[in-house]
Amino acid sequence: MSIQLVMSTKDGSSRAFDISEQRTTIGSKRSCDLHVAIPTVAPLHCEITINGDVVNLLNSSPESETRLNDVIVQSAPLKNEDKVRIGPVEFTVSITDEETVIRRC
C-alpha cells in the first residue's frame, strides 16, 4: 500500500509527502515527521497511523482543529481522496495498492 499527502499551492503546483511509517507526526515543531512551519499549526497538530490496511487520522492538540472533509475530527479513518486540513493547509489523501518505489540514478 502506498500513502501520500498531496498539498496543492495557490499557484497550482503540488507537493507530495510519502507516509510510510506506522506513525507520522504533523505539526509546526521541527521534530515532526511532516514539519508545517505556519504559526496557526500546533507544534504537534495531528498524526497519521497505519495498522495493517487501516489508516487513521488523530488530532493531537485539543486547542487546534484537525478537519477531515471539512468536519472537525478527533479520530477518523482515512480513505483515498479525503481532504485533511490543518490550519490553512489542505492535503489530499492518496492511498493506492501499489508499493512506493524509490529509484536511484
Side-chain angles (χ1 to χ4, degrees), residues 38 40-42 45 64-67 85-90:
I38 296 176
T40 56
V41 173
H45 201 103
S64 301
E65 292 180 353
T66 299
R67 293 182 173 264
R85 178 177 293 278
I86 58 168
V89 180
E90 184 174 88

Side-chain angles (χ1 to χ4, degrees), residues 7-15:
M7 179 179 66
S8 297
T9 61
K10 291 179 182 178
D11 67 6
S13 64
S14 63
R15 186 169 174 198

Side-chain angles (χ1 to χ4, degrees), residues 24-27 44-48 57-60 66 84 86:
T24 300
T25 56
I26 303 170
L44 179 56
H45 201 103
C46 62
E47 60 187 71
I48 294 176
L57 174 67
L58 306 165
N59 184 44
S60 300
T66 299
V84 174
I86 58 168

Side-chain angles (χ1 to χ4, degrees), residues 57-74:
L57 174 67
L58 306 165
N59 184 44
S60 300
S61 175
E63 302 85 33
S64 301
E65 292 180 353
T66 299
R67 293 182 173 264
L68 176 61
N69 300 321
D70 288 327
V71 176
I72 298 170
V73 297
Q74 293 304 310

